Structures are given as C-alpha cells and as structure tokens.
Amino acid sequence: MSLVFKGAQVCYDYFRENFYNEQGIGMKKNLLAFWAALGALLCLLSPYAGAAPSPAEEPVYGGRILMGTIGEPSNLIPYLSSDSASQEIVDLLYVAPLKYDKDLQIVPWAAKSYEVLDGGRLLRFVLRDDIRWEDGVPLTADDVEFTYKTMIDPKTPTAYSGDFLAIESFRKTGRFSFEVRYEKPFARSLMTWMGAILPKHVLEGQDLMNSPAARKPVGAGPFRLLKWEAGSMLTLGASDTYFEGRPNLDEAVYRIIPDPATMFLELKAGRLDMMSLSPLQYLRQTSGPQWDRDWRKYRYLSFSYTFLGFNLSHPFFKDVRVRRAVSMAIDRQSIIDGVLLGQGVPTVGPYKPGTWAYNDTLSPVRQDVDEARKLLAEAGWRDTDGDGLLDRDGQPFVFTILVNQGNTARINTAIIIQSQLKALGIGVHIRTVEWAAFIKEFVNKGRFDALILAWTITLDPDIYDVWHSSRAKPGGLNFTGYRNAEVDALLVEARSLTDQSRRKELYDRVQEILDAEQPYCFLYVPYALPILQARFQGVKPALNGIMYNFDRWWVPKDLQRYRVQP
C-alpha cells in the first residue's frame, strides 16, 4: 500500500482543504499528491495564540506528556504483534537501520550509510558504532544478523517474515557492517530494513512467546519502558544513552482508556495532553476561545482504511454472490455522513485515494438493494416462512459482526450496517471485545463471522502479507482466509519490480479482482483528528505527520507541569 505519487500542481486552496488547524492555516498531509507536494509550498501549522515561545527561547529538558490510547499493547517484542497499540510503543523503544524523514524520504538511522548496488539486488550497510542497548551493550551487526535469522525461522510466531524470506543471503562484513543479496530486485527491500533491530544478547535462546522482554523490553531507541501498570498505563522515560541525543521530554505516559467519551472527559479535565478526537468532538465540542488558546487541532486524511471483513471459511460467505450482495446493501456515504460527520471519503480497495497505486477506474460500491436481493436469491436465500429473515435449507441468515471495544466509529458503523442489512432480510448481531482479546482470541484464531477493522496504508503498495494465500494461517495477516491464484501471482510479480508503471498495472488488476470478489467490503478512509495541548513546542507538521520528531518536542520550563526527580 503506497503513497508515492504522480506529479501535479498543488494550490494553496488544496492544502487548506486537506490539512488545516482551527486557525485555517493549512498544509498537505494526506499525500493525495505526494510528489506534487514535494515540489510545492509546505505551509506549517501555526501554534495557537500565546502558546509559542519567543524566537530566542531554546528547547529544554523536562516535562511529561500524557497520551490516551484505547488499547493495551499485547507484546513489546517487535514483529510479534500486529496491533497498533504495541507498534506505537515499539517505535519509541527500538531503532532500525533506516527510517523515513519528515518528507518521507528514506534516510539512515542506526546505519551510518547504505548502498543499493547491482540493480537493487545488493544492499550494503555500515552501522554507527556509538549505539548502545539500554543495558550498555553495543549494538552491532551481530544483532542485525540475529534479527534476520529470527525472522526466517519458521518457529518464530510472526506475520512479518515475508520480507526477510525474500532475501537470498545475509553476510556480516565487519563488526558494524553487513550486506544483503536478493536473487532479483525486491521492491520492499529498503522498507525491510526499516524494521526494528532485536537485541541478540537478550533474546537468543529464548522462547519468544514467553520471553520476559515482551513486557520488559531492552531497546536502543529514544525512550525506555519504566513502568507497565496492566490495564492502566505505560510510562516511558527518556534514554540518556540514545545516540541521537536524549529526548527533551522526561516521560511519555500512555493511559489506557477504552472508552473514548471517558478519554475526552480526561482531556478536558487536564489529565491528558493528546488524543484522537471523534468527528463530533472535533467539529462541535472543541471550539471557542479557551480551546483556541490552549490546544492545537489537526485534520488530515489518515493512512488507513476501514473495512467489513468476512471469514471466508464461514458457509455463508464462501459464495461471492453473498459477499457482493452484502456489500451492495451498504450505503457507504450514509456511514461517512452519520458516523464520521463527513470526516472521511469512500474507498474501493486497499490503497489511499489519489495515490499512484489507487485504481481510479473503479468506483466505490453503490447501494443497490434490488440487485442485492437478486444475488441472494441466486445463492438460494429466500424468506420461505415469512418471518422477515432470509433462510436457506432451514437456516436463517443471521451472523455476528465483531468490533473492538472503545472504537465508537466502528461500533456505530456496525449499527448502521445492521440496520441496512435488516432491510434486506439479514439478521446481524454485534459483539464488542476488548482490544487485546479481540486480536489474540478472535482475529488471530479466525473465530469470527465478520469483523470491522482498519489497516494502516504503508508507503509501498506491496500487500502480499495481507492478501497472499500463504499468509492465510493462524496469526497471519490474511485472517479472512482469502485465496486467489491470480492475485497470488500478481503480488509476487509486483514485489519483484521497480518499474512503477508496470507495478501499477499489476496492482490495478489486483484491485479489480478484489472489487469483483469482495472479500472485504471496503468502506472508507477517515480523516485523522488529533488534538495536542499547546504548551508542547517543537511540533513541526510535515508529510510524515506530527509524530516523526516526537523526541524533539519540548515544554518551556515555566509551563512544565511535571518534573522527574533525579
């Protein structure tokens, strides 16, 4: 899933429409024309009145940020979890050879330098020699080799082995250097090395699923885990040994608050500094002089899409006619208007509208109840007993949609879908489950009829891990069990190419097949609506969002509400 784009002229009005704060000063963040945006003016969001330091004021150490999250991490060993709650913490604890900068350009991080040779078949890396794990042990090429071997080990319970399995050979060339060879060019080769480096001296010989490092990680990133109070909060502390310099904030606290309404009350009470707003909170509950003075609000098309996914082993949903009928019964715009209050756009597949990989010859599925009825009748579903429910062979068409607790948008989306399918004669139950259990006990084990979930849209359009048949296994990302030989072949070919035009042809065909077979009902791409207390300085919105330089955020001394005692 990619955000690499065609060039086009971008005007000020477009920036203002797609990424603005409450003062109306905008910039392009949603990347609907990434390459155009790189050549156009990037307008930084202005801080609210009274919130900015004087030009002469320099960043200082100190202070704490309190952030709200609806989900608790499941595992803090990189690669062993696929939930966003875990990944957000992991990103602050570990380092990788490469990373994206503010403009989404690939730059060295733990690597001092890297080379791409032999037409993309050979990568050479030289690591920095000044990186220490938080226990003082140097980070070396041994750790990178351990990470590679761990990821290709079939006993490693990870959904992210695919990129590493594409490697033909790995070779250490020195204590702080290594090279990677591919049999043929691999489109995601550099993205592979944006994955975290694992500490060999901590994890070697351990059962990773039962390792103490899952809850007491040893990283080399800008922060360290100080405390994990199960079900309540995680406290991260600034690392004094971080090779790019100690973060300015002393602590980052993630408060686990599954209910968004409660989270918002905590924000208003001053017990949170940052959270993601609902559309209602963004549009109607955070306006006025005090909000304008004390808070910054942002709006940009998110890097994610929301979908209704079917368990394709369920007898109802094995039939493509049934899946298409359900999809055609859903009015996506009513969901966007009713649930998101207009803060989203419909989508046709697993890519972001406006990106080069997005197939703009397709249109979002339009609601057509009459056609949906015809398809269901063809599949043998009729109301034979007049009870208002379709049935086949004596079995009523009733199923359960699973959603995670705390995500009001998904819950309300399920309620609207429930109502719209009822008009078609389909009964829907809705079940909400706490996030960690939702992933571990239901998604990973395939214990669901259908679910509403969202995928992050990554910066390369390779969707192999989500859609290839080989990933349809317990704990795999293809948890709906989708299998299509043509899609498999297209995905394998596309990830071996560097020619963008040819890759687009292949990914366009993938989207056509997904549109025809509807293993997901692709619903919408929502706008992200974060809010941040205005005392935090150093926030510099860019193409990579606002969190890319989190370690450089700071609070003036006279505005610091918390101080960590030495």
Side-chain angles (χ1 to χ4, degrees):
M1 291 168 273
S2 173
L3 299 171
V4 181
F5 307 93
K6 303 175 183 177
Q9 184 176 1
V10 178
C11 65
Y12 170 78
D13 288 339
Y14 187 80
F15 280 79
R16 181 176 59 191
E17 178 183 353
N18 289 285
F19 188 3
Y20 61 89
N21 66 4
E22 288 297 278
Q23 303 301 319
I25 299 176
M27 75 170 288
K28 181 71 169 89
K29 165 62 178 67
N30 65 14
L31 304 184
L32 290 180
F34 178 19
W35 289 116
L38 288 179
L41 176 66
L42 296 179
C43 307
L44 293 179
L45 292 169
S46 296
Y48 286 98
S54 66
E57 196 167 355
E58 294 294 328
V60 295
Y61 293 142
R64 171 195 295 168
I65 185 168
L66 303 175
M67 297 181 281
T69 177
I70 63 171
E72 184 166 13
S74 59
N75 192 314
L76 294 183
I77 299 177
Y79 308 111
L80 297 194
S81 60
S82 57
D83 59 286
S84 58
S86 298
Q87 191 58 51
E88 187 171 354
I89 303 293
V90 161
D91 286 346
L92 297 176
L93 301 179
Y94 294 86
V95 297
L98 306 174
K99 68 177 180 179
Y100 286 113
D101 69 6
K102 66 184 182 66
D103 295 321
L104 293 173
Q105 300 299 301
I106 297 173
V107 296
W109 189 14
K112 182 165 63 176
S113 64
Y114 72 97
E115 296 178 281
V116 180
L117 306 168
D118 191 19
R121 294 176 178 83
L122 177 65
L123 304 181
R124 284 181 177 156
F125 293 85
V126 176
L127 296 172
R128 295 177 59 131
D129 60 7
D130 59 349
I131 304 177
R132 299 288 183 272
W133 296 102
E134 63 182 72
D135 57 7
V137 174
L139 185 153
T140 70
D142 288 339
D143 297 300
V144 182
E145 180 185 49
F146 172 76
T147 302
Y148 164 69
K149 289 182 175 179
T150 299
M151 292 303 292
I152 64 172
D153 186 341
K155 296 191 296 293
T156 300
T158 179
Y160 300 104
S161 61
D163 284 4
F164 293 90
L165 290 171
I167 295 169
E168 182 179 42
S169 65
F170 177 100
R171 186 171 72 93
K172 289 187 298 181
T173 55
R175 190 180 185 211
F176 296 101
S177 59
F178 64 95
E179 66 179 31
V180 182
R181 181 167 289 281
Y182 295 84
E183 181 181 358
K184 54 187 177 182
F186 180 53
R188 288 176 55 87
S189 60
L190 291 180
M191 289 189 68
T192 302
W193 300 104
M194 291 175 163
I197 302 171
L198 301 176
K200 178 180 179 179
H201 70 288
V202 173
L203 296 175
E204 188 174 32
Q206 291 196 12
D207 174 3
L208 293 183
M209 289 307 292
N210 296 295
S211 170
R215 295 187 70 88
K216 296 180 179 179
V218 176
F223 288 88
R224 302 175 178 181
L225 180 65
L226 300 181
K227 186 190 307 181
W228 186 342
E229 300 174 48
S232 177
M233 69 178 66
L234 289 87
T235 302
L236 310 185
S239 172
D240 291 323
T241 60
Y242 179 50
F243 65 93
E244 289 193 338
R246 178 198 189 278
N248 292 321
L249 298 176
D250 285 336
E251 292 184 349
V253 178
Y254 286 82
R255 294 189 56 202
I256 303 162
I257 307 174
D259 178 51
T262 302
M263 189 183 297
F264 186 58
L265 290 176
E266 291 294 284
L267 184 88
K268 292 199 294 183
R271 292 188 286 269
L272 281 179
D273 299 312
M274 186 177 184
M275 66 173 284
S276 294
L277 296 175
S278 71
L280 179 65
Q281 292 162 351
Y282 178 85
L283 292 171
R284 302 175 186 172
Q285 298 176 355
T286 51
S287 300
Q290 182 176 353
W291 286 102
D292 291 349
R293 182 187 69 243
D294 295 338
W295 300 89
R296 294 189 185 105
K297 294 198 297 184
Y298 304 93
R299 174 185 183 268
Y300 53 90
L301 199 63
S302 72
F303 295 87
S304 68
Y305 65 89
T306 297
F307 62 90
L308 171 68
F310 302 108
N311 186 335
L312 299 181
S313 66
H314 191 289
F316 293 178
F317 302 123
K318 289 180 179 180
D319 193 324
V320 65
R321 294 170 296 184
V322 172
R323 301 196 301 269
R324 287 193 58 80
V326 171
S327 189
M328 295 176 75
I330 298 172
D331 181 354
R332 288 154 174 78
Q333 193 58 51
S334 71
I335 293 174
I336 292 170
D337 293 340
V339 175
L340 303 182
L341 303 181
Q343 302 303 300
V345 297
T347 190
V348 301
Y351 300 117
K352 194 170 182 177
T355 66
W356 68 263
Y358 187 86
N359 188 339
D360 54 14
T361 67
L362 300 174
S363 299
V365 177
R366 294 183 63 232
Q367 186 181 41
D368 189 336
V369 176
D370 291 337
E371 183 62 25
R373 285 197 179 98
K374 291 179 183 177
L375 288 171
L376 289 170
E378 289 176 12
W381 291 98
R382 294 177 176 82
D383 183 4
T384 60
D385 54 11
D387 66 351
L389 287 175
L390 299 176
D391 56 85
R392 185 179 64 184
D393 301 329
Q395 184 176 18
F397 198 148
V398 178
F399 71 97
T400 298
I401 295 177
L402 197 69
V403 293
N404 63 288
Q405 178 185 358
N407 194 306
T408 305
R410 293 178 195 168
I411 294 171
N412 289 338
T413 296
I415 292 171
I416 290 178
I417 291 175
Q418 179 187 51
S419 175
Q420 293 176 347
L421 293 185
K422 182 179 180 181
L424 195 61
I426 297 175
V428 174
H429 301 303
I430 299 171
R431 182 179 180 184
T432 60
V433 179
E434 182 272 330
W435 176 251
F438 178 84
I439 296 296
K440 183 177 180 180
E441 298 299 327
F442 294 91
V443 176
N444 288 348
K445 295 180 179 180
R447 295 174 51 205
F448 60 90
D449 300 338
L451 49 71
I452 295 178
L453 201 52
W455 277 122
T456 298
I457 301 172
T458 60
L459 298 179
D460 184 271
D462 185 355
I463 50 176
Y464 179 97
D465 282 337
V466 176
W467 294 105
H468 194 273
S469 297
S470 66
R471 317 317 287 171
K473 58 185 180 180
L477 301 185
N478 185 355
F479 46 73
T480 62
Y482 180 69
R483 293 174 174 85
N484 181 291
E486 184 181 357
V487 168
D488 285 352
L490 291 165
L491 293 177
V492 169
E493 182 181 355
R495 67 186 344 216
S496 68
L497 300 174
T498 57
D499 180 353
Q500 180 173 303
S501 61
R502 177 57 181 157
R503 294 186 81 198
K504 177 167 177 55
E505 291 176 9
L506 300 177
Y507 288 126
D508 278 357
R509 177 57 185 153
V510 169
Q511 291 167 83
E512 290 170 1
I513 297 171
L514 296 180
D515 181 63
E517 298 195 343
Q518 292 291 303
Y520 289 179
C521 295
F522 296 95
L523 299 175
Y524 58 79
V525 175
Y527 279 93
L529 306 170
I531 187 169
L532 174 67
Q533 223 286 337
R535 73 178 184 278
F536 293 94
Q537 309 299 330
V539 183
K540 298 178 180 180
L543 291 174
N544 199 8
I546 63 173
M547 294 294 291
Y548 69 92
N549 71 332
F550 178 66
D551 58 317
R552 298 300 106 199
W553 292 13
W554 61 283
V555 180
K557 283 290 186 186
D558 59 343
L559 296 178
Q560 291 179 11
R561 298 179 180 177
Y562 316 94
R563 285 182 172 81
V564 177
Q565 299 299 320

